[in-house]
Coordinates of all heavy atoms in Angstrom, one line a residue:
E206 N 101.7 127.9 111.3 CA 100.9 129.1 111.2 C 101.5 130.1 110.2 O 100.7 130.7 109.5 CB 100.6 129.7 112.6 CG 99.6 129.0 113.4 CD 99.2 129.8 114.6 OE1 99.7 130.9 114.8 OE2 98.4 129.3 115.5
Y272 N 98.2 121.7 120.8 CA 98.2 123.1 120.7 C 96.8 123.8 120.6 O 96.6 124.9 121.1 CB 99.1 123.5 119.5 CG 99.1 125.0 119.1 CD1 99.9 125.9 119.8 CD2 98.4 125.3 118.0 CE1 99.9 127.2 119.4 CE2 98.4 126.7 117.6 CZ 99.2 127.6 118.3 OH 99.2 128.9 117.9
I278 N 99.3 131.7 125.2 CA 100.7 131.6 124.8 C 101.4 133.0 125.0 O 100.8 134.0 124.6 CB 100.9 131.2 123.3 CG1 100.2 129.9 123.1 CG2 102.3 131.2 122.9 CD1 100.1 129.6 121.6
R284 N 100.7 138.3 124.9 CA 99.8 137.2 125.2 C 99.0 136.9 124.0 O 98.4 137.8 123.4 CB 99.0 137.5 126.4 CG 99.7 137.5 127.8 CD 98.9 138.3 128.8 NE 97.7 137.6 129.1 CZ 97.5 136.6 129.9 NH1 98.5 136.1 130.6 NH2 96.3 136.1 130.1
Y285 N 98.9 135.6 123.7 CA 98.1 135.2 122.6 C 97.2 134.0 123.0 O 97.6 133.3 123.9 CB 99.0 134.6 121.4 CG 99.9 135.7 120.8 CD1 101.2 135.9 121.4 CD2 99.5 136.5 119.8 CE1 102.0 136.8 120.8 CE2 100.3 137.4 119.2 CZ 101.6 137.6 119.8 OH 102.4 138.6 119.2
E286 N 96.1 133.8 122.3 CA 95.2 132.7 122.6 C 95.3 131.8 121.3 O 95.0 132.2 120.2 CB 93.8 133.1 122.8 CG 92.8 131.9 123.1 CD 91.4 132.4 123.2 OE1 91.1 133.6 123.2 OE2 90.5 131.5 123.2
A287 N 95.6 130.5 121.6 CA 95.7 129.5 120.5 C 94.3 129.2 120.0 O 93.4 129.3 120.8 CB 96.5 128.3 121.0
P288 N 94.2 128.8 118.8 CA 92.9 128.3 118.2 C 92.4 127.1 119.0 O 93.2 126.3 119.6 CB 93.2 128.0 116.8 CG 94.4 128.7 116.5 CD 95.3 128.7 117.7
S459 N 93.1 128.7 111.2 CA 93.0 129.8 112.1 C 94.5 130.1 112.7 O 95.3 129.2 112.7 CB 92.1 129.5 113.3 OG 90.8 129.2 112.8
K460 N 94.6 131.2 113.3 CA 95.9 131.6 113.9 C 95.7 132.1 115.3 O 94.5 132.5 115.7 CB 96.6 132.7 113.1 CG 97.1 132.2 111.7 CD 97.9 133.3 111.0 CE 98.4 132.8 109.6 NZ 99.2 133.8 109.0
R461 N 96.7 132.0 116.1 CA 96.6 132.6 117.4 C 96.2 134.0 117.4 O 96.6 134.8 116.6 CB 97.9 132.4 118.2 CG 99.1 133.2 117.6 CD 100.5 132.9 118.2 NE 100.9 131.6 117.8 CZ 102.1 131.1 118.0 NH1 103.0 131.9 118.7 NH2 102.5 129.9 117.6
K462 N 95.4 134.4 118.4 CA 94.9 135.8 118.5 C 95.6 136.5 119.7 O 95.7 136.0 120.8 CB 93.4 135.8 118.7 CG 92.7 135.2 117.5 CD 91.1 135.2 117.8 CE 90.4 134.5 116.6 NZ 89.0 134.5 117.0
P463 N 96.0 137.8 119.5 CA 96.5 138.6 120.6 C 95.4 138.8 121.6 O 94.2 139.1 121.2 CB 97.0 139.8 120.0 CG 96.3 139.9 118.6 CD 96.0 138.5 118.2
I464 N 95.7 138.8 122.9 CA 94.7 139.1 123.9 C 95.3 140.1 124.9 O 96.5 140.3 125.0 CB 94.3 137.8 124.7 CG1 95.5 137.0 125.3 CG2 93.5 136.9 123.8 CD1 95.1 135.8 126.1

Side-chain angles (χ1 to χ4, degrees):
E206 282 191 3
Y272 169 79
I278 301 166
R284 290 162 59 85
Y285 299 89
E286 181 185 350
S459 302
K460 292 185 178 182
R461 65 189 69 171
K462 296 177 182 178
I464 53 176

